[in-house]
Amino acid sequence: MRNEDLKLINGALIEAIPATLAKGRGNETRRLLAQHEWLLRRKADGRFIAACTGSNFQLLLRDSKTRHQCETFLSNPAFPESESLRTVQAMLDFLGVDRAYGQQHDLSLTAEPPALSFAGFDRYRRPLWLHENAAKSWQRMQNASNHDGIILDAISGYRGHAYQFGIFKRKLARGQTVSEILKVNAAPGYSEHHSGRAIDIGTPGEPPAEESFENTEAFSWLREHAQDFGFRLSYPRDNPHDINYEPWHWYFAGGTLVPTVLRDYRD
Ligand SMILES: [Zn+2]
């Protein structure tokens, strides 16, 4: 199966990933993964809750709430972008984030896509999930950089709203206020990572997400070539979003067409 045929299916409360990409811990989990096509993960806490094939599923967490969530997801996994925006607005209201937040930071509310494509593995050997075209373009860009002797690795790609909401809930529980957290973390819904089009890029030997990345050959290579693959630097120094300089964070702004310049790198 080609990489781009491997999908993450994004539902309202649950996401499904191909069982072949999951690493099972324990004999029972490994047996379940070998027998089923999909692994279901609960978005709120990131826990793997069931394995399934078609509408047939086996629970990893045996409680009636989890069973009900799985049945609901499998009967209709569709989670339209409009629904995803309503859900994240409820998270923002729960946190009491000012409705003018987006305008103040020149950021727009970003929906979660209904599905994401497998884009290889990240630095930590976790599956990297990206928007379909971003996934293709990222892999072409990686091949092209390898050709020039530069290794690019992914630190992080798609992250859902619940992930960002979870950061806020953990910090609130430790006694921080929402306005303190907002100085360091984007409000749920306002991270480019929600779109599946943003990647934090690194290179071996370099710590993840540090400003020193700008002194690497990998960064110089990206400055010169990333735009040919549809990627741009989102947060240069003194950006209008009031976000710290992030030389590692690149956004795929390309459309559905593959620019002709990429033909050399097709495999
Ligand atoms: Zn980032």
Side-chain angles (χ1 to χ4, degrees), residues 4-264:
E4 54 254 48
D5 295 331
L6 293 167
K7 300 280 185 196
L8 178 154
I9 309 299
N10 184 35
L13 300 175
I14 287 175
E15 58 192 16
I17 63 167
T20 50
L21 290 178
K23 290 193 200 83
R25 285 206 200 109
N27 286 341
E28 195 200 357
T29 312
R30 273 198 286 273
R31 185 178 53 77
L32 274 180
L33 290 176
Q35 289 170 347
H36 289 282
E37 283 177 20
W38 298 92
L39 189 60
L40 306 188
R41 179 161 55 195
R42 185 157 56 204
K43 291 163 71 173
D45 57 10
R47 289 189 72 169
F48 289 115
I49 54 173
C52 77
T53 305
S55 59
N56 164 28
F57 68 95
Q58 258 178 294
L59 292 174
L60 294 164
L61 282 186
R62 293 179 187 85
D63 62 75
S64 57
K65 185 178 151 203
T66 303
R67 175 177 296 280
H68 179 69
Q69 284 178 349
C70 291
E71 283 167 354
T72 306
F73 173 76
L74 292 172
S75 66
N76 181 17
F79 185 45
E81 295 200 345
S82 55
E83 194 62 39
S84 136
L85 289 175
R86 267 198 292 277
T87 308
V88 75
Q89 189 59 60
M91 293 177 191
L92 292 165
D93 291 343
F94 176 89
L95 295 172
V97 174
D98 193 331
R99 291 246 170 180
Y101 172 87
Q103 217 176 0
Q104 284 160 2
H105 293 81
D106 194 17
L107 296 170
S108 34
L109 201 55
T110 302
E112 292 178 356
L116 290 129
S117 297
F118 179 61
F121 291 94
D122 68 13
R123 172 180 290 191
Y124 310 101
R125 300 299 299 162
R126 301 173 302 194
L128 175 72
W129 297 105
L130 293 173
H131 179 279
E132 185 175 13
N133 297 318
K136 286 181 197 160
S137 212
W138 159 246
Q139 289 174 103
R140 288 191 186 114
M141 186 162 79
Q142 250 186 335
N143 290 341
S145 73
N146 281 346
H147 199 75
D148 292 345
I150 304 287
I151 299 176
L152 301 177
D153 60 12
I155 310 288
S156 179
Y158 166 72
R159 300 198 290 261
H161 297 149
Y163 178 92
Q164 200 75 4
F165 189 46
I167 294 174
F168 276 71
K169 284 198 292 191
R170 281 193 296 279
K171 290 190 171 182
L172 286 170
R174 290 204 296 263
Q176 295 189 30
T177 65
V178 169
S179 57
E180 282 167 349
I181 305 168
L182 283 172
K183 286 182 188 144
V184 185
N185 299 101
Y190 290 96
S191 163
E192 285 187 339
H193 287 281
H194 298 322
S195 67
R197 289 171 169 269
I199 317 183
D200 294 336
I201 299 176
T203 195
E206 192 59 30
E210 293 282 345
E211 208 174 293
S212 58
F213 181 64
E214 74 169 341
N215 302 316
T216 63
E217 284 186 10
F219 183 70
S220 303
W221 190 94
L222 286 165
R223 290 302 296 235
E224 200 175 334
H225 301 288
Q227 63 185 8
D228 298 340
F229 298 88
F231 285 90
R232 61 153 171 75
L233 190 66
S234 297
Y235 309 118
R237 285 201 168 83
D238 303 318
N239 62 74
H241 312 293
D242 202 19
I243 291 176
N244 290 340
Y245 175 46
E246 293 191 357
W248 60 86
H249 178 111
W250 293 78
Y251 181 80
F252 179 73
T256 51
L257 293 174
V258 180
T260 47
V261 68
L262 301 184
R263 279 194 189 134
D264 292 348

